[in-house]
Amino acid sequence: FYTADICAELEALPRPRVLVTTPYHLRTLLAEQPALPTIDLLLSATAPLSQNLAIEAETRFAAPLFEIYGCTETGQIASRRTTSGPIWQTFSGVRLRSEGEAVWAEGDHIEVPTPLSDVIELVKADPTRFLLHGRHADLVNIAGKRASLGYLNYKLTACLLYTSPSPPDRTRSRTPSSA
């Protein structure tokens, strides 16, 4: 993955141009490339984007950014414009329903109701709008509060500045001093 190659390929394409990416690749592209090509749409999938990263991407590319949500079992089922807020909207015909701690997707292209592996909160019991809080498989309990490692990672990543990291200071010791 070479960010200069991505920019060169985008520049060579006729408009409209669409960049389909992941949060990791988008973060790297923004950190390494001071000048970005003109594009018309950004799509991101595989993991939730922080709102800060989405704002920076939309500003620097001067294009709207949309995230796609889905899984292997259902395919893509929802999207959101991250700069507008954290709420996901299911695609037309797709509905979510809550049963205990499980959330199921059904309708449209989903042939049979399918449980989702993510921690999802329906917004005002609306079967088409939801908040994504991480994965059931990585839940941790901290002082009686449950959160997923993915959600904690998302929140921590949202706090970072998206600039190129400074080179490590190799003059400092890696072990604590005994002063």
Side-chain angles (χ1 to χ4, degrees):
F1 169 73
Y2 297 100
T3 58
D5 292 345
I6 299 297
C7 290
E9 290 297 320
L10 283 168
E11 283 286 353
L13 291 172
R15 294 192 62 189
R17 298 176 186 149
V18 176
L19 176 60
V20 179
T21 188
T22 68
Y24 170 80
H25 292 104
L26 182 59
R27 187 176 305 110
T28 303
L29 185 63
L30 293 172
E32 292 182 4
Q33 294 300 314
L36 297 168
T38 301
I39 64 172
D40 300 283
L41 179 67
L42 279 161
L43 288 176
S44 179
T46 73
L49 279 174
S50 72
Q51 193 170 36
N52 290 342
L53 180 58
I55 289 168
E56 181 181 356
E58 283 196 2
T59 301
R60 297 217 22 230
F61 278 107
L65 183 148
F66 290 90
E67 284 185 85
I68 303 295
Y69 172 80
C71 61
T72 303
E73 298 80 12
T74 63
Q76 58 186 354
I77 63 170
S79 68
R80 71 174 177 174
R81 178 129 184 229
T82 313
T83 56
S84 297
I87 297 174
W88 295 83
Q89 176 70 51
T90 62
F91 294 137
S92 180
V94 175
R95 296 171 314 284
L96 302 179
R97 66 179 159 86
S98 187
E99 285 184 15
E101 291 192 18
V103 173
W104 295 67
E106 57 192 6
D108 196 50
H109 66 279
I110 305 167
E111 294 180 7
V112 296
T114 304
L116 301 174
S117 298
D118 294 310
V119 179
I120 289 174
E121 173 189 347
L122 297 179
V123 175
K124 298 183 181 175
D126 182 339
T128 65
R129 299 175 65 219
F130 65 95
L131 295 168
L132 177 62
H133 295 297
R135 305 203 42 92
H136 282 292
D138 66 358
L139 284 180
V140 293
N141 189 325
I142 301 170
K145 301 286 185 188
R146 290 184 341 159
S148 75
L149 294 174
Y151 182 69
L152 293 172
N153 185 56
Y154 164 78
K155 294 302 260 183
L156 289 171
T157 303
C159 296
L160 299 175
L161 293 176
Y162 295 99
T163 58
S164 185
S166 300
D169 182 355
R170 301 202 187 279
T171 61
R172 295 178 53 191
S173 169
R174 292 183 183 210
T175 57
S177 65
S178 55

